[in-house]
């Protein structure tokens, strides 16, 4: 299993959590733009609207370059909607904001599948200069609404990452239908069907065609129960020729997918190939290592998992619940 933890660095900046109200303020940096600010509500403490207002009062938002939203509930787990509402309403106060991490919550705080996400479209619409967006989680809220995204036009976005234990196909389709001319890094964690991960290879057609994102250099199609099917599609996907790095890690990749990759289009132009957490046999690991070594491709084949090759259900993704 892959640990879901807080990043120490985000958008190239050290992460600093906004101190609690009763903490001394001496530790705050002189420049709001010198760190990535992380906001989190404590159990029984401030509500998110209160915490957000204190952040605006104590830190000049005009200088903030990167922002991470940690636990936003002060009592019971609740919908992410107040966070989206606050960011969208005050977006004009953040002219320098270039990176946003929605739901920087680790497993000990809340399981990935329990995070009650919502429609994040207003955030992208309100922040046209945003360059990096990471979205973690896809739990269903009490009102039945979970993570949603409408197709958007966003000229500034360079990196888009969805970390999920069960990513709905409609999210993948919305990304594929979006106009993102500057996108260089795209990463999907598909997760398990048990937790709502119903994306299919067909949903990836715009991405794999190579026509959707002319600037794309890294593609991560990860953490999937259909990793072999994805590998078969990637083996002939036009987008691969323009990539610098590719990840099919964290999923149920077996010899079937490896055979497709080895027999498909060349991968020797890549600088890095990530296949960690896999179900490959020794001979296929050796073939991939030999291919990559000969071409100078950095390859990650760590995390070989044991499984019953007569029982596909014995294979599992790295991140689900």
């Amino acid at each position: 299993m892959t640990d879901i933890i807080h990043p120490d660095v985000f958008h190239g900046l050290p992460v600093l959590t906004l101190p609690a109200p009763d903490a001394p303020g001496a530790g705050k940096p002189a420049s709001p733009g010198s760190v990535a600010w992380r906001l989190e509500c404590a159990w029984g403490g401030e509500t998110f609207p209160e915490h957000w207002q204190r952040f605006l009062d104590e830190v000049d938002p005009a200088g903030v370059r990167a922002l991470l939203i940690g636990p936003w509930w002060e009592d019971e787990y609740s919908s992410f909607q107040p966070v989206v509402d606050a960011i969208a309403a005050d977006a004009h106060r953040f002219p320098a904001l270039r990176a946003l991490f929605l739901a920087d919550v680790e497993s000990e705080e809340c399981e990935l599948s329990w995070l009650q996400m919502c429609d994040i479209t207003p955030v992208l619409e309100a922040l046209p200069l945003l360059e990096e967006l990471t979205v973690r989680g896809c739990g269903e809220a009490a009102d039945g609404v979970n993570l949603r995204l409408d197709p958007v036009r966003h000229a500034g976005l360079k990196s888009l990452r969805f970390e999920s234990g069960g990513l709905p196909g409609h999210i993948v389709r919305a990304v594929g239908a979006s106009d993102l001319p500057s996108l260089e890094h795209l990463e999907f964690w598909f997760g398990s069907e048990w937790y709502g991960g119903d994306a299919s290879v067909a949903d990836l057609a715009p991405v794999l065609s190579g026509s959707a994102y002319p600037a794309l250099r890294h593609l991560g199609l990860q953490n999937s129960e259909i990793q072999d099917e994805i590998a078969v599609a990637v083996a002939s996907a036009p987008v691969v020729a323009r990539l610098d790095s590719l990840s099919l890690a964290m999923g149920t990749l077996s010899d079937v997918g490896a055979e497709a990759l080895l027999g498909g289009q060349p991968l020797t132009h890549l600088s890095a190939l990530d296949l960690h957490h896999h179900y490959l046999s020794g001979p296929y690991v050796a073939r991939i290592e030999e291919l990559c070594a000969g071409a100078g491709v950095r390859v990650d084949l760590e995390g070989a998992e044991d499984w019953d090759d007569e029982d596909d259900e014995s294979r599992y993704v790295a991140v689900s619940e």
Side-chain angles (χ1 to χ4, degrees):
M1 297 294 288
T2 295
D3 291 331
I4 303 298
I5 59 175
H6 302 306
D8 296 322
V9 176
F10 180 57
H11 201 62
L13 299 169
V15 175
L16 176 67
T17 299
L18 181 71
D22 55 353
K28 292 181 183 177
S31 170
S34 63
V35 298
W37 291 94
R38 183 175 183 273
L39 308 184
E40 66 174 19
C41 295
W43 283 94
E46 297 171 297
T47 65
F48 183 80
E50 292 169 343
H51 193 67
W52 179 256
Q53 186 58 54
R54 184 165 66 83
F55 173 58
L56 297 180
D57 292 340
E58 296 183 6
V59 178
D60 180 8
V64 173
R65 296 166 54 200
L67 181 62
L68 305 90
I69 306 298
W72 61 90
W73 56 89
E74 73 284 355
D75 191 0
E76 298 180 355
Y77 299 133
S78 58
S79 171
F80 198 67
Q81 192 64 56
V83 179
V84 168
D85 291 343
I87 295 173
D90 291 317
H92 63 285
R93 302 183 63 177
F94 291 85
L97 188 63
R98 296 295 180 269
L100 185 60
F101 194 138
L102 300 181
D104 172 24
V105 178
E106 63 181 18
S107 301
E108 292 186 359
E109 295 165 329
C110 180
E111 296 291 356
L112 196 66
S113 63
W114 298 356
L115 295 173
Q116 299 179 24
M117 303 306 291
C118 65
D119 187 352
I120 62 169
T121 312
V123 169
L124 284 170
E125 293 176 337
L127 295 168
L129 299 180
L130 196 69
E131 296 178 356
E132 180 174 357
L133 176 62
T134 296
V135 181
R136 176 178 287 172
C138 191
E140 186 171 299
D143 59 6
V145 176
N146 63 3
L147 182 64
R148 298 204 62 83
L149 175 68
D150 293 332
V152 295
R153 157 75 181 177
H154 198 293
L157 200 63
K158 296 180 179 180
S159 176
L160 180 59
R161 175 183 172 110
F162 287 92
E163 299 182 357
S164 177
L167 192 66
H170 62 75
I171 295 294
V172 179
R173 292 191 293 273
V175 173
S178 294
D179 186 0
L180 307 172
S182 300
L183 194 67
E184 300 173 357
H185 182 113
L186 177 62
E187 187 172 326
F188 292 118
W189 294 14
F190 297 104
S192 168
E193 186 177 8
W194 181 261
Y195 292 102
D198 62 358
S200 67
V201 171
D203 294 330
L204 289 168
V207 177
L208 297 177
S209 72
S211 61
Y213 318 115
L216 195 66
R217 295 297 176 265
H218 173 82
L219 180 60
L221 305 177
Q222 305 170 209
N223 198 48
S224 177
E225 293 179 328
I226 58 168
Q227 205 72 64
D228 283 338
E229 293 179 44
I230 291 173
V232 170
V234 164
S236 60
V239 70
V240 173
R242 76 155 63 108
L243 297 178
D244 178 65
S245 55
L246 172 68
S247 176
L248 303 178
M250 303 169 61
T252 60
L253 186 70
S254 74
D255 291 352
V256 173
E259 180 63 36
L261 293 174
L262 290 166
Q265 64 185 304
L267 300 176
T268 50
H269 67 288
L270 298 174
S271 65
L273 176 63
D274 186 357
L275 302 177
H276 82 269
H277 182 96
H278 60 81
Y279 294 83
L280 304 181
S281 65
Y284 276 94
V285 168
R287 288 176 62 187
I288 292 173
E289 287 179 334
E290 181 180 7
L291 173 69
C292 291
V297 180
R298 298 190 311 275
V299 62
D300 187 346
L301 284 160
E302 293 295 318
E305 301 289 339
D306 293 327
W307 68 295
D308 181 353
D309 59 7
E310 295 183 358
D311 180 13
D312 286 347
E313 293 185 2
S314 66
R315 291 186 288 165
Y316 58 88
V317 298
V319 176
S320 53
E321 185 179 15

